């Protein structure tokens, strides 16, 4: 079973969406170097990569091809989830590289939203978790029709993005309220905010990990019921 999953993952990497993966990854990485640009927009390109994989598989009849292989349906879902997980990991790697380069080059503060702080990574994991639950957790009801489910997940992504940025926007607007203080905690690199940011990061890691398990189980059940 493990061998089948890895072989299917290799198929995903070689035949699924290889060229567009490179393009979306470059877009994701490049977003971190646009002055005063929202940091949450870059990782959104990786969700496009995930959706386009389903869309391209639809046009290439990948589901029918996979159904003819001597593999279990759950292995097919595992391989696709591993591929999608790799795309999101690439987003975090891009963010880490962006943080290193921005820090070394002395980039000015990002006045459009949150900086690349520990809190940012925690919130991005939570946003990805919600996206995965809505898109990957429902797309296997009919993997040939990913569009509407992606739109719902994309809307949820930007609602979560706005909710995470709202305190930061209040802070940059120099509002004198508790919301602005929360925004300072999220975006500041001052060492006094390290502990609360670590708590946000830890919460993000836990939510992200648990969501993958829940989403996979939901998707696997859906695909088992799907009539190929």
């Amino acid at each position: 079973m493990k061998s089948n999953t890895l072989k299917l993952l290799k198929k995903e990497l070689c035949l699924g969406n290889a060229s567009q993966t490179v393009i979306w990854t470059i877009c994701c990485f490049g977003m971190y170097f646009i002055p005063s640009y929202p940091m949450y927009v870059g990782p959104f390109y990786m969700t496009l990569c995930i959706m386009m994989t389903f869309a391209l598989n639809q046009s290439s009849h990948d589901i029918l091809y996979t159904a003819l292989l001597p593999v279990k349906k759950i292995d097919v879902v595992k391989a696709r989830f591993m591929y999608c997980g790799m795309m999101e990991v690439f987003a975090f790697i891009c963010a880490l590289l962006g943080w290193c380069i921005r820090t070394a080059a002395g980039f000015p503060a990002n006045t459009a939203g949150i900086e690349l702080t520990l809190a940012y990574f925690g919130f991005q994991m939570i946003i990805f978790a919600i996206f995965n639950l809505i898109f990957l957790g429902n797309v296997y009801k009919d993997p040939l029709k990913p569009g509407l489910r992606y739109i719902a997940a994309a809307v949820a992504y930007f609602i979560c993005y706005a909710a995470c940025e709202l305190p930061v926007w209040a802070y940059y607007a120099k509002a004198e309220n508790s919301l602005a203080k929360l925004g300072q905690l999220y975006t500041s690199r001052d060492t006094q905010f390290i502990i609360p940011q670590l708590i946000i990061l830890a919460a993000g890691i836990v939510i992200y990990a648990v969501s993958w398990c829940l989403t996979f189980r939901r998707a696997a059940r859906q695909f088992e019921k799907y009539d190929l």
Side-chain angles (χ1 to χ4, degrees):
M1 184 181 298
K2 182 178 179 182
S3 177
N4 285 338
T5 302
L6 293 177
K7 288 178 180 177
L8 287 169
L9 176 60
K10 183 178 179 180
K11 177 184 76 69
E12 294 284 343
L13 293 171
C14 296
L15 304 177
N17 193 18
S19 59
Q20 291 204 34
T21 297
V22 175
I23 295 171
W24 296 128
T25 302
I26 292 172
C27 290
C28 175
F29 183 64
M31 293 297 106
Y32 292 112
F33 303 101
I34 299 176
S36 295
Y37 197 77
M39 297 295 179
Y40 293 109
V41 174
F44 180 75
Y45 281 95
M46 303 314 289
T47 72
L48 283 169
C49 176
I50 291 171
M51 191 280 291
M52 288 301 298
T53 299
F54 281 90
L56 290 173
N57 288 168
Q58 174 187 357
S59 61
S60 63
H61 304 289
D62 181 74
I63 293 293
L64 178 60
Y65 166 75
T66 305
L68 298 174
L69 298 175
V71 296
K72 295 180 179 179
K73 282 186 174 181
I74 193 171
D75 291 337
V76 176
V77 179
K78 280 181 182 178
R80 178 58 59 83
F81 267 59
M82 290 172 69
Y83 175 80
C84 294
M86 289 174 63
M87 296 304 100
E88 294 180 1
V89 169
F90 285 163
F92 290 120
I93 292 174
C94 288
L96 283 170
L97 290 174
W99 175 79
C100 292
I101 295 172
R102 286 174 64 91
T103 302
F107 269 61
N110 176 32
T111 56
I114 195 170
E115 280 282 359
L116 290 172
T117 61
L118 295 175
Y120 163 79
F121 286 96
F123 285 134
Q124 185 60 64
M125 289 183 185
I126 295 171
I127 294 173
F128 270 150
I130 294 170
F131 171 86
N132 293 339
L133 190 61
I134 296 174
F135 181 64
L136 295 177
N138 290 287
V139 72
Y140 279 98
K141 289 179 181 178
D142 187 352
L144 297 179
K145 297 179 180 178
L148 289 177
R149 292 174 177 85
Y150 178 76
I151 291 173
V155 169
Y157 184 103
F158 280 100
I159 289 174
C160 294
Y161 148 63
C164 292
E165 289 282 42
L166 187 60
V168 181
W169 292 334
Y171 169 65
Y172 283 126
K174 301 188 184 302
E176 296 182 0
N177 52 38
S178 57
L179 191 65
K181 292 180 180 178
L182 200 60
Q184 183 183 16
L185 183 152
Y186 292 167
T187 196
S188 177
R189 293 184 178 179
D190 196 308
T191 54
Q192 65 176 315
F193 299 115
I194 289 294
I195 298 301
Q197 287 188 11
L198 280 172
I199 293 172
I200 294 171
L201 177 61
I205 292 172
V206 171
I207 292 171
Y208 188 65
V210 171
S211 73
W212 268 113
C213 297
L214 296 176
T215 305
F216 171 74
R217 290 179 182 177
R218 179 180 172 85
R221 286 196 301 268
Q222 290 172 355
F223 198 49
E224 284 293 342
K225 296 177 182 178
Y226 181 69
D227 186 4
L228 293 171

